[in-house]
Amino acid sequence: MTGSFKKVAVIGWPISHSLSPTIHNHWMKQKGIEGVYEKVAVGPDAIETAISRFKKEGYSGFNVTVPHKEAIMPFLDKIAPLARQMGAVNTVKIGGDGTTTGFNTDGIGLVTNLKKNVPDWPKDKPVLILGAGGAARAAALGLLTEDVPFVMITNRTRAKAEAITNDVGRGRMTVVDWDHRMDAVAAAGVIVNTTVLGMKGQPALEMDLTSAAKDTVVYDIVYQPLMTPLLKDAEKLGLRTVTGLGMLVYQAAASFKIWFGEDVDYDDALRQVLEAGFQ
Ligand code: ATR
């Protein structure tokens, strides 16, 4: 293999279901980049070994997924400010000299998906985030960076929502009690589900949307199924909806830009390939 053959990968445990190779290999082909993006199963004790191998074998970088997004941080040479604030890394760039830099593109992916699908989302109203895991933290930071005026966050375990508010809230974030989450619906311009509820094999999220304003956008980051019970309820009420697959694609686009400097998009060909697996 010559030096121009590009190698990238995603590490996780397990990793068999990752859609990232489909997405990145599509773009590499489209951009005429000769190379391959592969899935690499890396157990919790093998992170450092994987990084060494990627460096030795001249990889351009790699994505990091569950459960390594936080654990990988001490093994990297540099961490970009946004990833530092998120406390998690989903993208690593390996420089020509072997220097590793960690980035986080999850928040950008979430916000780009919203902007592309509903460009006229109500920007003057608060966003309601459901859940307080890593995805919620990325959502809060991404939205507050986008000048959303205010974020309300609610989570079954309140302390986790409070921690996110303290860490990234910038004085523009408040916690709503999980039992009172319905009370926040009327004020919200966007409602984002970041919990696992509604995912295949999980119970549906209990959320009464009847008090939502007509221009409210309901966004679910769950993409299996593509139309979750929450999104179906929203559709019945005539509310605009955003599915979660785009977040995955746009966080990947931001990673692609970091590695190859190329702008890529969620084009029709990619949409067809990805959505075929979800109908
Ligand atoms: P990620 O990092 O991908 O966002 P996570 O950290 O596992 O995932 O977060 C899952 C989210 O789903 C959490 O907000 C979790 O709530 P808790 O913090 O209280 O655990 C939420 N969740 C999972 N099962 C739930 C349930 N049955 N009811 C309400 N929330 C639930």
Side-chain angles (χ1 to χ4, degrees), residues 14-253:
I15 196 68
S16 54
H17 293 108
S18 174
L19 292 170
S20 296
T22 307
I23 299 170
H24 285 283
N25 285 316
H26 170 83
W27 286 329
M28 285 169 88
K29 202 167 153 200
Q30 187 178 67
K31 291 288 175 185
I33 297 171
E34 200 198 334
V36 68
Y37 182 108
E38 60 194 353
K39 291 187 264 206
V40 182
V42 171
D45 299 330
I47 298 175
E48 201 171 7
T49 314
I51 299 173
S52 302
R53 178 170 82 78
F54 291 151
K55 280 164 74 164
K56 208 162 69 194
E57 296 180 9
Y59 278 64
S60 305
F62 57 96
N63 282 127
V64 185
T65 188
V66 180
H68 302 323
K69 288 185 178 187
E70 291 160 27
I72 196 159
M73 295 179 80
F75 299 114
L76 301 174
D77 298 315
K78 296 183 206 162
I79 306 282
L82 205 60
R84 174 77 62 204
Q85 271 181 286
M86 260 177 223
V89 160
N90 79 330
T91 306
V92 175
K93 183 180 172 72
I94 304 177
D97 62 353
T99 302
T100 52
T101 308
F103 298 86
N104 195 311
T105 64
D106 287 334
I108 304 163
L110 183 136
V111 175
T112 307
N113 191 32
L114 176 63
K115 282 176 163 173
K116 293 261 185 183
N117 282 287
V118 195
D120 61 338
W121 52 285
K123 300 179 184 66
D124 52 336
K125 291 187 186 173
V127 174
L128 173 62
I129 296 176
L130 302 152
R137 185 175 287 260
L141 200 52
L143 289 161
L144 288 166
T145 308
E146 273 301 312
D147 289 336
V148 162
F150 207 79
V151 170
M152 301 182 282
I153 184 167
T154 182
N155 191 49
R156 178 180 61 177
T157 310
R158 188 184 166 101
K160 283 166 71 181
E162 279 166 359
I164 294 179
T165 305
N166 290 336
D167 293 346
V168 308
R170 305 176 185 188
R172 289 191 281 135
M173 202 165 160
T174 192
V175 178
V176 174
D177 207 77
W178 183 249
D179 293 337
H180 295 128
R181 63 192 183 281
M182 315 294 186
D183 299 344
V185 168
V190 182
I191 298 169
V192 191
N193 175 43
T194 74
T195 74
V196 294
L197 300 174
M199 197 184 283
K200 210 167 142 189
Q202 294 279 346
L205 169 68
E206 278 179 43
M207 199 68 199
D208 182 354
L209 297 170
T210 47
S211 62
K214 289 238 166 314
D215 62 350
T216 301
V217 177
V218 181
Y219 184 166
D220 206 327
I221 74 157
V222 167
Y223 57 82
Q224 260 168 333
L226 215 46
M227 285 305 285
T228 59
L230 176 73
L231 294 184
K232 283 185 181 165
D233 281 354
E235 236 178 30
K236 272 186 216 143
L237 291 165
L239 304 175
R240 293 171 295 175
T241 58
V242 180
T243 64
L245 202 49
M247 175 179 170
L248 183 74
V249 174
Y250 290 115
Q251 63 78 28

